[in-house]
């Protein structure tokens, strides 16, 4: 069996993290841990916690650090992640979160999926998503039948935080809080950048190559 990995994927909203992380998780046979998906699931469940998460998300604001950190710490403590590793998507998003992850995670490699801002703005405005399984579509690549998910039959809608105001707010927060993580991981010698433009298959191939090259260079002799 292929060895597991412990990867963090960074990238702006709309860079394609979600799509690529699903594929990487399948390739390396490790869990895909998306904090955004975890909070959306909580919001759907309608609990008081989920309700608070929904308010932050719809405004495009970040969930408070301590909440996110607690959730991820618990998740990484499960059997599957301890045995095989993980693909982290949407965490860490602040330097404080990264410092905490260092204590309980132990990251092998961080991939920055790079896409210019003009492109992500276009992608986000046209993004549509299945409410049930999270599969992404777009205005130019809709499901086969009438906004019904090809994968699971769920309803395909525009995310509440994909409105213009929330998108701009999320991109501002990205520059302010998340972009500093790139230099933080670079200093630790853990960062590689992968070009996120092009067909998802091409981007996927680039990401696998980046991990494999990195491993070849860092393998203990
Ligand atoms: P995007 O990257 O497109 O904004 P995600 O699906 O990754 O979307 O996350 C959706 C929302 O969930 C974020 O806007 C934020 O409110 C919350 N969230 C997800 N991950 C974190 C995190 N690590 N720290 C704080 N908030 C988070
Ligand atoms: Zn679906």
């Amino acid at each position: 069996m292929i060895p597991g990995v412990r990867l963090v994927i960074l990238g702006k909203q709309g860079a394609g993290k979600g799509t690529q992380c699903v594929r990487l998780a399948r390739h390396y046979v490790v869990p895909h841990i998306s904090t955004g998906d975890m909070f959306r699931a909580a919001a759907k469940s309608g609990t008081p916690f989920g309700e608070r998460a929904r308010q932050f998300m719809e405004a495009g604001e970040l969930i408070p650090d301590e909440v996110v950190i607690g959730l991820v710490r618990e998740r990484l403590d499960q059997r599957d992640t301890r045995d095989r590793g993980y693909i982290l998507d949407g965490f860490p998003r602040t330097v404080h979160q990264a410092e905490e992850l260092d204590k309980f995670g132990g990251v092998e490699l961080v991939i920055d999926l790079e896409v210019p801002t003009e492109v992500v703005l276009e992608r986000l405005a046209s993004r549509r998503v299945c409410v049930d399984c999270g599969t992404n579509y777009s205005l130019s690549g809709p499901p086969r039948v009438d906004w019904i998910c090809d994968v699971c039959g769920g309803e395909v809608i525009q995310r509440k935080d994909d409105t213009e105001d929330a998108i701009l707010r999320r991109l501002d927060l990205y520059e302010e809080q998340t972009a500093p993580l790139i230099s933080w991981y670079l200093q630790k010698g853990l960062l590689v950048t992968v070009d996120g433009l092009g067909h998802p298959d091409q981007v996927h191939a680039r990401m696998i190559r980046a991990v494999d090259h990195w491993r070849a260079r860092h393998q203990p002799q």
Side-chain angles (χ1 to χ4, degrees), residues 50-75:
E51 200 43 41
R52 278 195 62 211
R54 193 180 58 76
Q55 286 166 7
F56 282 107
M57 286 193 287
E58 286 186 4
E61 297 297 327
L62 293 181
I63 310 272
D65 267 354
E66 297 321 315
V67 175
V68 190
I69 290 164
L71 196 79
V72 174
R73 185 191 286 126
E74 270 181 22
R75 180 63 189 85

Side-chain angles (χ1 to χ4, degrees), residues 97-116:
Q97 291 179 9
E99 286 166 349
E100 292 300 307
L101 175 63
D102 245 9
K103 296 179 199 159
F104 61 79
V107 175
E108 185 182 345
L109 177 63
V110 179
I111 298 181
D112 177 27
L113 191 56
E114 209 177 40
V115 174

Side-chain angles (χ1 to χ4, degrees), residues 75-181:
R75 180 63 189 85
L76 295 195
D77 201 31
Q78 314 250 316
R79 182 81 200 267
D80 55 348
T81 41
R82 284 206 317 255
D83 287 352
R84 297 272 319 154
Y86 48 78
I87 314 274
L88 274 177
D89 166 5
F91 184 92
R93 236 185 182 79
T94 64
V95 170
H96 178 225
Q97 291 179 9
E99 286 166 349
E100 292 300 307
L101 175 63
D102 245 9
K103 296 179 199 159
F104 61 79
V107 175
E108 185 182 345
L109 177 63
V110 179
I111 298 181
D112 177 27
L113 191 56
E114 209 177 40
V115 174
T117 301
E118 315 86 75
V119 177
V120 304
L121 280 173
E122 251 172 63
R123 285 186 185 174
L124 289 170
S126 106
R127 172 159 83 181
R128 299 295 182 273
V129 56
C130 170
V131 287
D132 290 327
C133 74
T135 298
N136 281 317
Y137 298 92
S138 68
L139 290 178
S140 55
R144 282 192 298 269
V145 183
D146 210 16
W147 301 104
I148 304 292
C149 179
D150 291 341
V151 178
C152 78
E155 188 191 358
V156 176
I157 58 149
Q158 179 164 38
R159 254 167 65 171
K160 282 241 174 66
D161 61 351
D162 278 347
T163 59
E164 199 179 337
D165 279 353
I167 290 170
L168 292 175
R169 176 67 185 146
R170 277 148 65 213
L171 285 170
D172 275 351
L173 280 175
Y174 179 85
E175 289 308 327
E176 186 187 304
Q177 311 257 24
T178 310
L181 278 179

Side-chain angles (χ1 to χ4, degrees), residues 2-13:
I2 186 169
V5 270
R6 281 170 286 116
L7 288 183
V8 166
I9 313 299
L10 297 178
K12 289 184 196 94
Q13 291 74 9

